[in-house]
Amino acid sequence: MKNKMMKYILALVPISLLAFFGLQSFSHSGTASADYKFAADDLQPTATQKKVENLVTEILSNYHYRRVPLNDSLSSKIFDNYIKELDFNKMNFTSTDIENFEKYRFELDDQLKNGELTAAYQIYNVFRNRAKERFAFVASMLSKPVDFKADETYTPDRENASWAKSKDELDNIWRKAVKSTLLDWKISGKADTSAIKDLRERYKRTEKYFDKTKSEDVFQQFMNSFTESVDPHTTYFIPKTASTFNQEMAQSFEGIGATLRNEGDYVMIVDCIVGGPAFRSKQLNPKDRIVAVAQGDDKPYQDIVGWFTDDAVKLIKGPKNTVVRLKILPSNAPVGSVPKEVRLVREKIKLEEGTAKKEVLNFNKDGKEYKLGLITIPLFYRDFEGARNGEQGYKSTTADVKKFLNELKAEKVDGVIVDLRNNGGGSLTEAVSLTGLFISQGPVVQRRQSDGEISVENDRDPSVTYDGPVSVLVNRFSASASEIFAGAIQDYKRGLIIGEQTYGKGTVQSLVDLDRFLKGEPEGVGQLKITMEKFYRITGSSTQHKGVTPDIELPSSFSASEFGESSQPSALPWDMIASTKYSPTSDIKDNELTKLRALYQDRLKSDAELKKLVADINFIKKSKEKKTISLQEDKRRKEIDEQKKKNIAELGDDLANETKEPEKVATDSTSIAQAKLKILKERRSKDVYLKECERILTDYILLNSSNQVKVTQVENKK
């Protein structure tokens, strides 16, 4: 998943080794394709881009963890990636175009070595011409009447389809695509004349944006087709993209708090910034697509399909405490789904809003009341500068959680839940020290460099802050540092891991400022994010690819083939190294796990909320098997009505709660805080995963009644 969760990648630090060892200056003679002559209006590579291509190739060949040889095999993968990057839905190129490009399949490796970009730009310029032909076709089609009574179907997802054999076949594909949009608008109540006008403006706008594409944009597309063939987390940033990335790393945001990028004609959510409105809404996920934006509660929606991300961001951003409404096509939505509406209140996103939070949950089981502590950790944060300067009370995940644990012990909670759902990672140091709050001293994670050298990160403090019953709640978007913590808790048998299989990101990246190696260039050269290490659990098992498998796995609508590291063809493989020495506790026993799983399975068959959850997930999975939609008005109306009913059943309460958040009569900080707390409690009552985690932890407490919180421990941890 390209650029997935980019803010949370572990250990993003400048590379010093490259400067120490140096990069040899080299030049190569061009290949035969260098004689290719570009037309006057073609986009062409610059001299600086050729140097950057050469430099990036050298760095990846010598310093990337994988050390993949740049040969014909890799060239073929780069070729396929680039074609997919340009025309992922196979709506522009014909099979003849692809056949003409085949001469480059095994030449791209040579061009990369030689600082040559002819093939990349020649392919792009053909794509550019084909796109212009498509715009002309749409304009022509919209001048003619559309028949909505014809009984025909359309397949929106063409990723696995064959390339169109002719221009006529492409015309028919586009005719159906345009007809599908017009039909949906017609069913939604938009007049035919208005629908045609709006769609005509959409494609004119798209064509205008398309004409704004610059040489540097093409260069980034091609270079990322190269880097993604090596590893999904290795990325090249042109200067303007590098600037945006650095701002995100600084955690400085305004608006709804979401990172966006273009994916075909859509503006897609890459991730939601921890603590922001989008994150807290729990209605937005990576790969969701934004199709329209509206200001306030009463302004009409503006269609943004075909917009550039920068322009969409300008529309979505706005003054804090103002309302923005989005129409969203969820990432896991079946073909032909109706967009859902999400209402958000813009805010100034601060790093503090992404810190850990504590709650006390009252849970009744068989007439007996239990108190469970809930600690939610949205990411692993650490004020590195404050730590270096020896500042007292510098911001730290471990320091905050330690304080919470001591407070929870004073409140005599029966157990603690650590919620790591949607936590994409952060500081490795914090993942290690946080583990140390629950275990005595010992290894937490192993790191392996590309040369095979292995180091171990240890918790060296023998004291334990909390030794009572604990569970860790994870989901498909728990990654990196979250997986290190959850994996260590599981390996030490210190607590129960509950939820979905985690993301599976077991690699660490470093950031290379390419300006250090190419000084004096007339244009900026950008940055390279490169994978340098892999993480391994103390058992020797990699967290890469497989992630952490929960002790008790709850139902999930996110499959490994669509979400997570294992969905990426170029992801580094899972493997093992030698186990390190460690002493597991006896807190979680195999026979207890067997009983807990049996109790959970019984509830899965009898509990109304769990049964509904499973039914909803099965409905989504079954609906996604459907690949076509009807273009006949009556049939399509029926399809949409059924989908709307499902949306209302699933999202109605959440959407209603969301509209309650910005109380117009209460804009002071105290009232806003109270409103947020009220909404949080309402969401907790509907959080099926958290409620089941409460049940499982309570079952564990009952099975092992000797596990009591020791509130008299001596605290020595710093």
Side-chain angles (χ1 to χ4, degrees), residues 349-399:
I349 313 301
K350 300 177 182 178
L351 180 60
E352 287 75 15
E353 295 174 341
T355 57
K357 301 290 188 295
K358 179 202 75 172
E359 297 174 59
V360 175
L361 306 174
N362 295 307
F363 184 74
N364 184 290
K365 183 175 179 63
D366 299 330
K368 183 178 179 181
E369 291 292 332
Y370 292 86
K371 288 171 65 176
L372 300 177
L374 173 65
I375 298 177
T376 304
I377 306 176
L379 81 161
F380 288 83
Y381 50 89
R382 180 181 178 86
D383 180 358
F384 286 98
E385 184 176 352
R388 282 195 301 269
N389 296 335
E391 296 177 8
Q392 291 292 323
Y394 66 85
K395 205 63 181 172
S396 156
T397 305
T398 305

Side-chain angles (χ1 to χ4, degrees), residues 419-583:
D419 190 349
L420 296 182
R421 288 176 295 175
N422 300 313
N423 182 322
S427 166
L428 170 64
T429 301
E430 292 297 328
V432 173
S433 59
L434 184 71
T435 304
L437 299 182
F438 299 90
I439 66 167
S440 185
Q441 62 187 5
V444 175
V445 65
Q446 302 186 80
R447 304 170 66 171
R448 184 182 188 275
Q449 297 179 0
S450 58
D451 61 3
E453 183 178 342
I454 296 171
S455 59
V456 180
E457 300 290 338
N458 292 276
D459 166 51
R460 302 186 183 280
D461 192 329
S463 67
V464 178
T465 300
Y466 180 78
D467 65 355
V470 62
S471 63
V472 181
L473 185 55
V474 294
N475 68 1
R476 192 64 180 158
F477 300 109
S478 304
S480 232
S482 292
E483 295 173 298
I484 290 172
F485 173 78
I489 293 295
Q490 188 177 59
D491 293 337
Y492 275 102
K493 298 185 181 297
R494 178 60 190 87
L496 296 165
I497 310 302
I498 301 169
E500 304 168 72
Q501 182 181 355
T502 61
Y503 187 83
K505 183 184 179 297
T507 57
V508 56
Q509 285 71 41
S510 295
L511 201 60
V512 185
D513 187 349
L514 300 180
D515 284 304
R516 297 174 58 188
F517 305 101
L518 289 174
K519 297 180 180 179
E521 289 299 314
E523 54 191 274
V525 296
Q527 295 176 330
L528 177 68
K529 178 162 63 69
I530 178 174
T531 297
M532 301 284 285
E533 291 182 306
K534 282 181 74 175
F535 287 120
Y536 295 82
R537 293 165 66 159
I538 53 179
T539 60
S541 175
S542 173
T543 57
Q544 174 67 8
H545 227 291
K546 292 186 177 181
V548 176
T549 301
D551 296 309
I552 299 178
E553 199 161 355
L554 303 184
S556 175
S557 60
F558 300 104
S559 68
S561 62
E562 294 178 293
F563 297 90
E565 195 78 359
S566 54
S567 68
Q568 303 303 307
S570 62
L572 271 65
W574 174 88
D575 61 349
M576 290 193 70
I577 59 175
S579 171
T580 188
K581 291 183 179 180
Y582 69 101
S583 300

Side-chain angles (χ1 to χ4, degrees), residues 579-708:
S579 171
T580 188
K581 291 183 179 180
Y582 69 101
S583 300
T585 71
S586 58
D587 291 355
I588 306 297
K589 303 176 182 65
D590 290 343
N591 65 324
E592 291 176 340
L593 270 180
T594 300
K595 293 177 182 178
L596 291 173
R597 288 169 182 150
L599 290 169
Y600 162 66
Q601 289 298 326
D602 288 342
R603 279 193 297 271
L604 205 56
K605 298 173 185 176
S606 60
D607 182 78
E609 287 184 316
L610 284 174
K611 288 169 68 176
K612 183 179 183 301
L613 176 64
V614 172
D616 289 343
I617 290 173
N618 289 337
F619 175 84
I620 291 173
K621 290 179 178 178
K622 185 176 180 180
S623 298
K624 290 176 73 173
E625 294 174 1
K626 181 182 177 183
K627 302 299 183 183
T628 62
I629 58 176
S630 176
L631 296 181
Q632 200 275 332
E633 184 174 350
D634 291 340
K635 290 183 179 180
R636 183 68 182 130
R637 281 186 184 277
K638 184 177 180 181
E639 291 174 349
I640 290 178
D641 286 344
E642 290 175 353
Q643 185 61 45
K644 281 183 177 179
K645 289 177 183 177
K646 190 66 181 175
N647 283 355
I648 291 172
E650 291 179 346
L651 304 172
D653 290 340
D654 288 337
L655 291 173
N657 288 336
E658 196 63 32
T659 61
K660 295 177 184 177
E661 183 166 350
E663 304 250 349
K664 294 184 178 180
V665 295
T667 57
D668 60 284
S669 58
T670 301
S671 297
I672 291 174
Q674 290 174 344
K676 289 180 178 179
L677 181 60
K678 180 181 178 182
I679 291 172
L680 179 62
K681 289 182 177 179
E682 290 174 344
R683 286 191 182 136
R684 288 282 181 258
S685 68
K686 296 179 175 64
D687 190 339
V688 181
Y689 292 95
L690 177 59
K691 290 169 78 171
E692 182 56 26
C693 186
E694 293 177 63
R695 295 188 189 102
I696 294 169
L697 181 57
T698 307
D699 285 341
Y700 168 70
I701 293 169
L702 289 171
L703 284 173
N704 194 347
S705 58
S706 62
N707 262 355
Q708 298 297 327

